[in-house]
mmCIF file of all heavy atoms in Angstrom:
data_model
loop_
_atom_site.group_PDB
_atom_site.id
_atom_site.type_symbol
_atom_site.label_atom_id
_atom_site.label_comp_id
_atom_site.label_asym_id
_atom_site.label_seq_id
_atom_site.Cartn_x
_atom_site.Cartn_y
_atom_site.Cartn_z
ATOM 1 N N ILE A 359 155.851 144.612 17.914
ATOM 2 C CA ILE A 359 156.968 144.222 18.795
ATOM 3 C C ILE A 359 156.802 142.785 19.276
ATOM 4 O O ILE A 359 157.779 142.044 19.435
ATOM 5 C CB ILE A 359 157.115 145.233 19.968
ATOM 6 C CG1 ILE A 359 158.345 144.917 20.823
ATOM 7 C CG2 ILE A 359 155.919 145.256 20.856
ATOM 8 C CD1 ILE A 359 159.545 145.676 20.375
ATOM 9 N N ALA A 360 155.552 142.336 19.465
ATOM 10 C CA ALA A 360 155.322 140.937 19.859
ATOM 11 C C ALA A 360 155.779 140.002 18.742
ATOM 12 O O ALA A 360 156.398 138.961 18.989
ATOM 13 C CB ALA A 360 153.845 140.705 20.177
ATOM 14 N N VAL A 361 155.489 140.376 17.493
ATOM 15 C CA VAL A 361 155.902 139.550 16.349
ATOM 16 C C VAL A 361 157.428 139.533 16.250
ATOM 17 O O VAL A 361 158.046 138.487 16.013
ATOM 18 C CB VAL A 361 155.274 140.076 15.035
ATOM 19 C CG1 VAL A 361 155.739 139.237 13.847
ATOM 20 C CG2 VAL A 361 153.745 140.056 15.130
ATOM 21 N N GLN A 362 158.055 140.703 16.469
ATOM 22 C CA GLN A 362 159.524 140.774 16.432
ATOM 23 C C GLN A 362 160.137 139.822 17.449
ATOM 24 O O GLN A 362 161.032 139.046 17.126
ATOM 25 C CB GLN A 362 159.996 142.203 16.754
ATOM 26 C CG GLN A 362 160.126 143.088 15.531
ATOM 27 C CD GLN A 362 160.228 144.571 15.898
ATOM 28 O OE1 GLN A 362 160.111 144.954 17.063
ATOM 29 N NE2 GLN A 362 160.425 145.393 14.893
ATOM 30 N N LYS A 363 159.653 139.905 18.678
ATOM 31 C CA LYS A 363 160.225 139.073 19.750
ATOM 32 C C LYS A 363 160.009 137.586 19.451
ATOM 33 O O LYS A 363 160.883 136.758 19.686
ATOM 34 C CB LYS A 363 159.611 139.441 21.101
ATOM 35 C CG LYS A 363 160.130 140.767 21.664
ATOM 36 C CD LYS A 363 159.550 141.011 23.046
ATOM 37 C CE LYS A 363 159.932 142.339 23.645
ATOM 38 N NZ LYS A 363 161.362 142.498 23.927
ATOM 39 N N LEU A 364 158.828 137.265 18.947
ATOM 40 C CA LEU A 364 158.515 135.865 18.645
ATOM 41 C C LEU A 364 159.471 135.320 17.585
ATOM 42 O O LEU A 364 160.067 134.254 17.755
ATOM 43 C CB LEU A 364 157.069 135.770 18.136
ATOM 44 C CG LEU A 364 156.647 134.390 17.631
ATOM 45 C CD1 LEU A 364 156.462 133.443 18.804
ATOM 46 C CD2 LEU A 364 155.365 134.480 16.826
ATOM 47 N N LEU A 365 159.634 136.053 16.477
ATOM 48 C CA LEU A 365 160.450 135.528 15.387
ATOM 49 C C LEU A 365 161.934 135.544 15.752
ATOM 50 O O LEU A 365 162.698 134.672 15.319
ATOM 51 C CB LEU A 365 160.173 136.306 14.093
ATOM 52 C CG LEU A 365 158.741 136.109 13.547
ATOM 53 C CD1 LEU A 365 158.544 136.872 12.254
ATOM 54 C CD2 LEU A 365 158.394 134.639 13.342
ATOM 55 N N ALA A 366 162.341 136.518 16.568
ATOM 56 C CA ALA A 366 163.745 136.556 17.005
ATOM 57 C C ALA A 366 164.062 135.362 17.899
ATOM 58 O O ALA A 366 165.209 134.912 17.972
ATOM 59 C CB ALA A 366 164.025 137.864 17.746
ATOM 60 N N SER A 367 163.042 134.816 18.560
ATOM 61 C CA SER A 367 163.283 133.723 19.520
ATOM 62 C C SER A 367 163.539 132.393 18.827
ATOM 63 O O SER A 367 163.917 131.427 19.464
ATOM 64 C CB SER A 367 162.065 133.562 20.431
ATOM 65 O OG SER A 367 161.023 132.902 19.718
ATOM 66 N N LYS A 368 163.268 132.327 17.536
ATOM 67 C CA LYS A 368 163.437 131.091 16.762
ATOM 68 C C LYS A 368 162.480 129.982 17.203
ATOM 69 O O LYS A 368 162.649 128.830 16.830
ATOM 70 C CB LYS A 368 164.885 130.575 16.836
ATOM 71 C CG LYS A 368 165.932 131.533 16.242
ATOM 72 C CD LYS A 368 165.878 131.541 14.722
ATOM 73 C CE LYS A 368 166.965 132.420 14.108
ATOM 74 N NZ LYS A 368 166.556 133.834 13.995
ATOM 75 N N CYS A 369 161.499 130.332 18.027
ATOM 76 C CA CYS A 369 160.477 129.347 18.389
ATOM 77 C C CYS A 369 159.658 129.083 17.133
ATOM 78 O O CYS A 369 159.276 130.026 16.444
ATOM 79 C CB CYS A 369 159.588 129.927 19.502
ATOM 80 S SG CYS A 369 158.432 128.750 20.187
ATOM 81 N N GLN A 370 159.413 127.827 16.791
ATOM 82 C CA GLN A 370 158.678 127.586 15.551
ATOM 83 C C GLN A 370 157.783 126.357 15.612
ATOM 84 O O GLN A 370 157.709 125.679 16.627
ATOM 85 C CB GLN A 370 159.634 127.496 14.356
ATOM 86 C CG GLN A 370 160.727 126.480 14.542
ATOM 87 C CD GLN A 370 161.990 126.902 13.779
ATOM 88 O OE1 GLN A 370 162.508 127.690 13.913
ATOM 89 N NE2 GLN A 370 162.555 126.353 12.910
ATOM 90 N N CYS A 371 157.121 126.101 14.486
ATOM 91 C CA CYS A 371 156.184 124.979 14.402
ATOM 92 C C CYS A 371 156.929 123.660 14.531
ATOM 93 O O CYS A 371 157.967 123.477 13.913
ATOM 94 C CB CYS A 371 155.494 124.982 13.045
ATOM 95 S SG CYS A 371 154.784 126.560 12.605
ATOM 96 N N TYR A 372 156.374 122.725 15.300
ATOM 97 C CA TYR A 372 156.987 121.399 15.355
ATOM 98 C C TYR A 372 156.533 120.564 14.157
ATOM 99 O O TYR A 372 157.098 119.539 13.856
ATOM 100 C CB TYR A 372 156.711 120.685 16.682
ATOM 101 C CG TYR A 372 155.259 120.613 17.074
ATOM 102 C CD1 TYR A 372 154.433 119.614 16.578
ATOM 103 C CD2 TYR A 372 154.718 121.552 17.961
ATOM 104 C CE1 TYR A 372 153.106 119.539 16.938
ATOM 105 C CE2 TYR A 372 153.378 121.483 18.320
ATOM 106 C CZ TYR A 372 152.576 120.475 17.811
ATOM 107 O OH TYR A 372 151.259 120.424 18.172
ATOM 108 N N SER A 373 155.491 121.030 13.448
ATOM 109 C CA SER A 373 155.132 120.438 12.149
ATOM 110 C C SER A 373 154.287 121.463 11.421
ATOM 111 O O SER A 373 153.693 122.344 12.041
ATOM 112 C CB SER A 373 154.340 119.138 12.331
ATOM 113 O OG SER A 373 153.054 119.442 12.845
ATOM 114 N N MET A 374 154.224 121.365 10.088
ATOM 115 C CA MET A 374 153.495 122.369 9.304
ATOM 116 C C MET A 374 152.019 122.417 9.676
ATOM 117 O O MET A 374 151.385 123.454 9.594
ATOM 118 C CB MET A 374 153.624 122.061 7.799
ATOM 119 C CG MET A 374 154.999 122.365 7.251
ATOM 120 S SD MET A 374 155.596 124.022 7.664
ATOM 121 C CE MET A 374 155.395 124.801 6.085
ATOM 122 N N ASP A 375 151.468 121.257 10.071
ATOM 123 C CA ASP A 375 150.035 121.254 10.360
ATOM 124 C C ASP A 375 149.764 121.239 11.861
ATOM 125 O O ASP A 375 148.684 120.849 12.309
ATOM 126 C CB ASP A 375 149.334 120.077 9.674
ATOM 127 C CG ASP A 375 149.763 118.725 10.228
ATOM 128 O OD1 ASP A 375 150.757 118.674 10.980
ATOM 129 O OD2 ASP A 375 149.096 117.726 9.906
ATOM 130 N N ALA A 376 150.752 121.678 12.653
ATOM 131 C CA ALA A 376 150.485 121.848 14.091
ATOM 132 C C ALA A 376 149.439 122.943 14.258
ATOM 133 O O ALA A 376 149.300 123.820 13.395
ATOM 134 C CB ALA A 376 151.778 122.256 14.800
#
Side-chain angles (χ1 to χ4, degrees):
I359 185 93
V361 178
Q362 270 165 355
K363 286 184 184 295
L364 173 73
L365 294 181
S367 76
K368 298 286 183 274
C369 188
Q370 54 210 61
C371 309
Y372 52 84
S373 70
M374 287 309 254
D375 66 348

